[in-house]
Amino acid sequence: VSIPPFLFEAILYAPIDDTNSTAKIGNGIIFFTLYKKEAAMWESLTIENATKEKLQCLRENAVLKAHEKAKEETEAKKVMKQEHKKYALEATMKLEEAERKRIEDLKEKERWKVTEELELWKKQQQDAEKQRRAQKEVELHQEVEQLKEKKKEKIDKTRIPSEVTSKTRLKTTTGCRGSHSMFSENLKEEQLPAPRSAATIKINFTSRVFPTALRESRVAEEEEWLRKQAEARRTVNADFSELEDLKEEEKNPDWLKDKGNKMFATGDYLGAVNAYNLAVRLNNKLPLLYLNRAACHLKLRNLHKAIEDSSKALELLTPPVPDNENARVKAYVRRGTAFCQLELYMEGLQDYEAALKIDPKNKIIEEDAEKIRHLIQGTTQDS
């Protein structure tokens, strides 16, 4: 039990430092630890010749003084607490501002990087186009020169017989009448047109989109797949009023998909998921968005979401044609992997076997399917 030291200050000879002074009761003994306000020798410990009324008045004044001091300390603590809260709020706001600025700087840096890559690509395309034009001009010039040479040769060939003909004409006019018929026959032969020059005719065939032979292909399914892809490219599902703070390129699903692919390659799976999420909001008909997001969810151990995205990708990858075989294989494998990590080995094996039906020569998928079969056998034996 502690006794406030100010209760003793009223009866002491001189004031004490009640902040540092203490009075404690323990084991029936009171321990006082008193510190003087001024370093000096006291003539006595208590006030001499003090009446009871005087001591009572001194005590009451000491209590009032202590109450006022406690009130001041409480107010000071309250002010200090408010100052601390204010400082903490300002520090938090500064940290949030710094984090927001860092994110904005990263976005701006990424934006500049993509813009520079786009400008570089445009410049390369322009240089390639200039080079192609220059090459075409050179080839055209060469063809013109060749035509001029051929024309010149033809003129030279036709000039020689005309000279010979004029000479023969002179002879026939001075010669006999019998030679005139011979000259007319030769003249008829010379007036016949020259044979046509040989040339090469180039025939171009319309290229098919799919490499399969026409007798083996499913034209209707292939045309339906192309139609669905064209419609998906034109589909925009997002309300741009909600996304008005985005840049123009950030409203392009293909740009967001490429950005997500780059983040996935660097190990930023959460950032890649955010990019794919925004792309899906803009266009929910592109199967590759769900397929790539499923790969991110596998890395982040979001197994149920990986199964949902893989299933959605398979739903959009219809009809099954050679052009989407690779994507369907990936979708089955990713969904099967998620099932196996959830210890649903039978469902996982079914997806791996479906992938093998599409790509039967894939040794890696075949080995993984065999491992799943061993796991199922071991689980069955243990049960």
Side-chain angles (χ1 to χ4, degrees):
V1 179
S2 298
I3 300 175
F6 67 82
L7 296 176
F8 300 92
E9 186 177 3
I11 62 174
L12 292 176
Y13 180 78
I16 64 171
D17 185 3
D18 57 351
T19 304
N20 297 322
S21 301
T22 59
K24 296 182 180 180
I25 298 175
N27 297 326
I29 302 172
I30 301 176
F31 296 92
F32 294 98
T33 305
L34 304 177
Y35 294 91
K36 298 176 182 179
K37 281 190 175 180
E38 297 178 357
M41 291 297 293
W42 292 358
E43 294 178 2
S44 63
L45 185 60
T46 60
I47 299 174
E48 297 179 355
N49 301 323
T51 62
K52 187 176 181 181
E53 290 79 7
K54 185 178 181 180
L55 291 175
Q56 182 68 26
C57 182
L58 291 172
R59 186 181 296 276
E60 289 175 356
N61 290 334
V63 170
L64 289 173
K65 196 177 184 184
H67 285 170
E68 290 176 358
K69 187 176 180 180
K71 187 177 180 181
E72 290 176 358
E73 289 178 353
T74 303
E75 291 293 331
K77 287 181 180 178
K78 187 177 179 181
V79 172
M80 185 64 69
K81 189 175 181 181
Q82 290 178 351
E83 290 292 329
H84 286 323
K85 283 184 178 179
K86 184 178 178 182
Y87 175 78
L89 181 61
E90 289 177 353
T92 304
M93 290 175 66
K94 286 181 181 179
L95 288 174
E96 290 178 352
E97 180 64 23
E99 182 65 15
R100 187 189 66 77
K101 189 174 182 303
R102 186 184 70 83
I103 293 173
E104 287 294 329
D105 291 341
L106 287 175
K107 288 173 69 176
E108 189 65 24
K109 187 177 179 181
E110 186 69 21
R111 196 176 297 117
W112 275 107
K113 184 179 177 182
V114 172
T115 305
E116 288 177 358
E117 290 177 355
L118 182 60
E119 291 296 329
L120 180 61
W121 179 79
K122 286 182 178 178
K123 187 177 179 182
Q124 290 175 351
Q125 293 295 318
Q126 290 175 357
D127 294 342
E129 184 65 25
K130 288 180 181 178
Q131 190 174 0
R132 283 195 295 269
R133 288 179 181 175
Q135 184 67 25
K136 286 182 179 178
E137 289 178 359
V138 171
E139 292 177 355
L140 183 62
H141 181 70
Q142 290 177 352
E143 289 179 0
V144 169
E145 292 295 328
Q146 289 177 359
L147 289 173
K148 286 182 178 179
E149 290 293 331
K150 288 180 180 179
K151 189 174 181 181
K152 187 177 180 181
E153 291 176 0
K154 193 178 288 185
I155 292 171
D156 292 340
K157 288 180 180 178
T158 54
R159 188 176 296 168
I160 295 169
S162 63
E163 292 176 356
V164 173
T165 309
S166 60
K167 288 179 182 179
T168 10
R169 238 179 236 161
L170 290 172
K171 287 180 181 179
T172 51
T173 50
T174 54
C176 61
R177 194 175 284 213
S179 61
H180 178 70
S181 62
M182 186 182 297
F183 169 74
S184 61
E185 290 177 1
N186 293 335
L187 184 60
K188 288 179 183 179
E189 290 179 0
E190 289 175 1
Q191 288 176 349
L192 291 175
R196 293 180 181 178
S197 58
T200 303
I201 300 174
K202 188 176 180 180
I203 300 174
N204 295 323
F205 296 95
T206 304
S207 59
R208 297 189 68 242
V209 177
F210 298 98
T212 55
L214 185 61
R215 64 179 179 276
E216 300 174 0
S217 67
R218 294 170 293 179
V219 177
E221 288 85 348
E222 292 173 355
E223 290 179 352
E224 182 182 355
W225 167 251
L226 292 175
R227 180 183 56 78
K228 286 180 64 177
Q229 290 301 294
E231 290 178 356
R233 291 291 174 190
R234 294 192 296 268
T235 302
V236 176
N237 297 326
D239 184 7
F240 286 114
S241 62
E242 300 177 0
L243 307 172
E244 57 186 6
D245 57 332
L246 296 179
K247 302 293 182 182
E248 191 62 32
E249 61 269 17
E250 292 176 343
K251 298 178 183 179
N252 185 349
D254 290 328
W255 186 88
L256 290 168
K257 180 173 71 67
D258 294 338
K259 185 176 181 181
N261 294 346
K262 291 178 182 178
M263 289 181 174
F264 183 87
T266 58
D268 186 7
Y269 306 122
L270 190 57
V273 168
N274 292 332
Y276 294 138
N277 287 343
L278 183 55
V280 168
R281 286 185 62 192
L282 294 168
N283 192 333
N284 59 359
K285 299 295 184 182
L286 298 176
L288 291 183
L289 296 177
Y290 297 96
L291 187 61
N292 294 355
R293 193 170 67 177
C296 295
H297 285 315
L298 276 178
K299 293 290 186 180
L300 295 171
R301 301 287 296 173
N302 299 330
L303 302 178
H304 291 90
K305 291 184 178 180
I307 292 172
E308 291 177 4
D309 279 348
S310 300
S311 301
K312 184 64 177 177
L314 287 170
E315 179 184 338
L316 294 174
L317 289 167
T318 54
V321 293
D323 190 54
N324 57 27
E325 281 183 356
N326 189 30
R328 284 186 287 123
V329 169
K330 289 181 180 178
Y332 278 121
V333 169
R334 287 170 188 173
R335 191 172 70 177
T337 303
F339 276 131
C340 290
Q341 291 182 7
L342 289 171
E343 297 185 1
L344 300 173
Y345 299 117
M346 291 298 297
E347 290 81 354
L349 181 59
Q350 290 176 1
D351 280 339
Y352 270 85
E353 288 177 346
L356 278 175
K357 287 181 180 178
I358 301 172
D359 188 7
K361 295 181 180 179
N362 195 315
K363 298 297 182 183
I364 297 176
I365 299 177
E366 187 177 355
E367 291 174 1
D368 291 341
E370 190 62 29
K371 291 178 183 177
I372 297 171
R373 292 189 190 96
H374 288 315
L375 284 173
I376 294 172
Q377 291 175 0
T379 307
T380 306
Q381 290 175 0
D382 292 340
S383 61

